[in-house]
Amino acid sequence: MVGATATQNSITQLVPEVLARESRSRRFGIDCPSELRWHAKEPGGDYKQKLLLKNISNQVIKFKYVLPKTSFFFLNFPDVITLSPGMAATVDVSFRPIRSELYDDVIEFLTSNGNFFVRVIATLPEFGVQMQEYLDFGFATCKEP
């Protein structure tokens, strides 16, 4: 396990390493995004996204997933998913926030070749101003009547 995230209670939790899409595809034969992200969602809602998992290997792959540790991300009961070469399956992931705060967790997928993780994260709105480093008005006259 690598990396850490801080929650609002200043409790540090270890977050497992999430492989890049290319590394995961080569190692496990499954193509899927590295993360699902929800941005600035209102508390009390139910927001859904689909996680598409595609078998890009030449072999039949069987795997199942482990539900996230937090209770804000919901998935169906984890059954064994069998994918023939070239086939795809979708997993519905729901996010149900109760407070307006940062949520960060992972979904663990168990395969015969090992385990990999897909990050699920919900971010808050960010406000900011961007300005140029300097302004160049060119040549201009000054103090002219």
Side-chain angles (χ1 to χ4, degrees):
M1 293 187 168
V2 189
T5 61
T7 62
Q8 286 188 350
N9 298 341
S10 298
I11 299 171
T12 303
Q13 301 173 343
L14 291 177
V15 176
E17 181 181 7
V18 177
L19 295 174
R21 189 173 195 152
E22 297 80 25
S23 300
R24 186 176 46 258
S25 296
R26 277 194 310 269
R27 184 170 172 191
F28 298 102
I30 297 174
D31 181 35
C32 67
S34 296
E35 71 179 19
L36 289 179
R37 182 177 293 265
W38 289 264
H39 182 68
K41 298 300 181 187
E42 291 295 319
D46 185 7
Y47 308 98
K48 297 183 183 197
Q49 288 191 31
K50 293 187 181 292
L51 177 62
L52 179 68
L53 302 146
K54 184 174 181 182
N55 182 355
I56 58 171
S57 71
N58 294 329
Q59 300 173 351
V60 174
I61 296 177
K62 291 184 180 185
F63 61 92
K64 70 185 291 186
Y65 55 86
V66 177
L67 299 175
K69 303 251 186 269
T70 60
S71 60
F72 308 109
F73 297 100
F74 294 89
L75 290 88
N76 291 334
F77 187 78
D79 291 326
V80 175
I81 299 171
T82 304
L83 290 179
S84 298
M87 298 301 293
T90 59
V91 176
D92 292 328
V93 182
S94 296
F95 171 58
R96 297 178 190 149
I98 58 170
R99 288 186 298 277
S100 185
E101 63 183 30
L102 177 72
Y103 296 94
D104 192 359
D105 207 343
V106 292
I107 302 170
E108 182 178 8
F109 288 88
L110 311 171
T111 70
S112 59
N113 294 338
N115 304 349
F116 67 90
F117 301 91
V118 174
R119 188 173 181 197
V120 286
I121 184 169
T123 58
L124 297 173
E126 295 178 5
F127 301 100
V129 176
Q130 287 186 326
M131 297 181 67
Q132 293 179 331
E133 191 172 316
Y134 62 91
L135 293 175
D136 183 9
F137 292 109
F139 295 105
T141 58
C142 297
K143 292 189 180 181
E144 204 166 291

